[in-house]
Amino acid sequence: MANKKTRALRRAEYLRQKEAMDAQAREAMVTQTALQPVPEKKHGDMTGGEVHQQIQLIPLAHIVTEEYQRVLNMRNVAGIVRHFDPAKLGVLVVSHRADGTYSVLDGQQRLAALRRLGYTSANCIVLEGMSIREEADYFRRQNENKQTLRIADTFNASVWAEDEESMQIKRLMDKYNFRHGKSGQPTCICAIGALQQIIRQFGTEALELTLASIAATWPRETTILRREMLAGLGEFWKRYAHVVTVPQFEARMQLKLPMDLYQE
C-alpha cells in the first residue's frame, strides 16, 4: 500500500508540474510576439538582418543538438530534475531549420531534464534564417561569459563558426594527428587555452613547431600535452626556431621522458 501511495503522490506531482508548464505555454502562445528582427548586429556579429524570432511551443522530438554544443553535464541535468520548478524554467532558444528540425542554442541541459521528466514540448524563442555557422557563433557569444562554459567548449563552437584563430589551431592539430578531448590520452589535447596562448604570444609558426616536435619525439606520451609543458615548448620554439630544426630536436630529446622534464 505504501508503494501505491508513493506512486500516486509522484503521479499527482507530475501532473501538477505538467499543468503548470502547459499553462505557461498557453499564456506564451496567447501573447506570442509577431515576427521581429533580432537587435541590430554589432561589429563582428555574424547574425544577419534576415534572422527573425518569435515564441512558439515546440515538440521536444523536433529539437536537436549539434557538435558545437558543450558536452552534456549529466550532474547538472539531474539537479534540474531533482529541483524542477516549471516557473523557473524559462524558455529555450532554438534555430528553425529548413528540414523542420530545431537546433537548441541555449538550454541544452534544461532540454535533457524536460525529456527525463516526460514532457513532450517546451516554450522556445525560435530564430529563423540562421546557417549552422551562425548558430555556432550565436552559441559561443551567448555562453563565452558564463563561468560554467570551458575554453574547450567555446573553442569547439568557434571552429564551427569559422573563427580564424580557432580554425588555424584545428588545422595544425589535424595536420599532426592531434585531437581535442579529455586529457590523459595519447594525441588528445585538453589544454586548448595553452594552444591559444602560444599562437597569441608567439605566433602560428611556434604553435606548428610545438605540435610537430611532440608528434615526432613523444607521439604516445600524455605528460607533454599538459598546459605548462605546451606553454614551455611554445616559448622554446619562439626563441630557438632559427637555430634548431624538428629533426634535431627529436634526435636530442627522444631518449628523455617528458615526466623528467616536468619535474625539473
Side-chain angles (χ1 to χ4, degrees):
M1 293 296 293
N3 288 338
K4 289 183 177 180
K5 183 176 181 181
T6 300
R7 287 197 296 269
L9 290 173
R10 288 178 178 173
R11 177 63 178 171
E13 177 62 16
Y14 168 79
L15 292 174
R16 183 191 68 78
Q17 293 178 353
K18 188 174 186 304
E19 176 58 30
M21 283 284 293
D22 291 343
Q24 185 184 49
R26 287 192 295 269
E27 181 181 354
M29 291 299 292
V30 170
T31 60
Q32 177 176 317
T33 58
L35 286 175
Q36 298 176 353
V38 174
E40 183 179 354
K41 64 177 182 177
K42 300 179 181 178
H43 178 69
D45 189 355
M46 296 176 60
T47 303
E50 295 302 315
V51 177
H52 295 79
Q53 64 182 9
Q54 60 182 335
I55 298 176
Q56 290 184 355
L57 186 64
I58 304 298
L60 300 190
H62 296 174
I63 303 178
V64 300
T65 58
E66 280 292 351
E67 292 181 31
Y68 57 75
Q69 283 274 5
R70 74 177 84 184
V71 176
L72 195 62
N73 187 324
M74 297 311 298
R75 179 177 298 179
N76 289 349
V77 172
I80 296 173
V81 171
R82 189 163 52 249
H83 306 291
F84 185 69
D85 183 350
K88 297 180 180 178
L89 183 69
V91 292
L92 311 181
V93 179
V94 299
S95 172
H96 188 202
R97 295 178 170 175
D99 64 1
T101 61
Y102 298 81
S103 176
V104 60
L105 305 181
D106 187 26
Q108 181 189 18
Q109 295 180 146
R110 286 174 288 155
L111 171 64
L114 287 171
R115 284 172 170 160
R116 275 196 178 190
L117 289 165
Y119 288 94
T120 59
S121 59
N123 290 320
C124 300
I125 295 176
V126 180
L127 304 180
E128 304 273 358
M130 300 181 80
S131 66
I132 293 182
R133 177 185 176 186
E134 289 171 333
E135 290 175 0
D137 191 63
Y138 180 97
F139 168 80
R140 176 175 64 89
R141 293 178 184 277
Q142 287 292 104
N143 290 282
E144 61 187 357
N145 292 324
K146 293 182 179 179
Q147 292 182 351
T148 55
L149 192 70
R150 302 171 302 164
I151 291 176
D153 293 318
T154 56
F155 171 76
N156 191 30
S158 295
V159 171
W160 278 78
E162 299 182 18
D163 173 72
E164 183 177 353
E165 178 188 87
S166 299
M167 291 184 70
Q168 284 182 329
I169 294 173
K170 181 66 164 58
R171 177 180 61 81
L172 292 175
M173 289 176 65
D174 290 344
K175 181 177 180 180
Y176 295 101
N177 297 316
F178 290 100
R179 56 196 174 88
H180 165 221
K182 293 182 179 180
S183 60
Q185 301 176 14
T187 72
C188 194
I189 298 178
C190 176
I192 294 297
L195 305 187
Q196 293 173 335
Q197 179 182 354
I198 292 172
I199 205 170
R200 292 168 187 174
Q201 291 187 355
F202 309 130
T204 304
E205 182 184 11
L207 178 59
E208 177 159 14
L209 291 171
T210 296
L211 297 178
S213 59
I214 294 173
T217 311
W218 304 292
R220 303 300 298 172
E221 286 286 342
T222 59
T223 303
I224 196 64
L225 301 179
R226 293 184 179 183
R227 175 184 57 79
E228 54 270 38
M229 299 292 283
L230 291 168
L233 268 181
E235 185 173 358
F236 170 86
W237 284 113
K238 176 62 177 179
R239 293 184 178 184
Y240 302 111
H242 63 292
V243 294
V244 179
T245 65
V246 170
Q248 289 173 336
F249 180 92
E250 178 188 1
R252 295 178 187 179
M253 302 298 293
Q254 61 182 346
L255 297 181
K256 291 184 176 291
L257 293 176
M259 180 59 73
D260 295 336
L261 299 175
Y262 178 74
Q263 293 175 343
E264 289 180 358

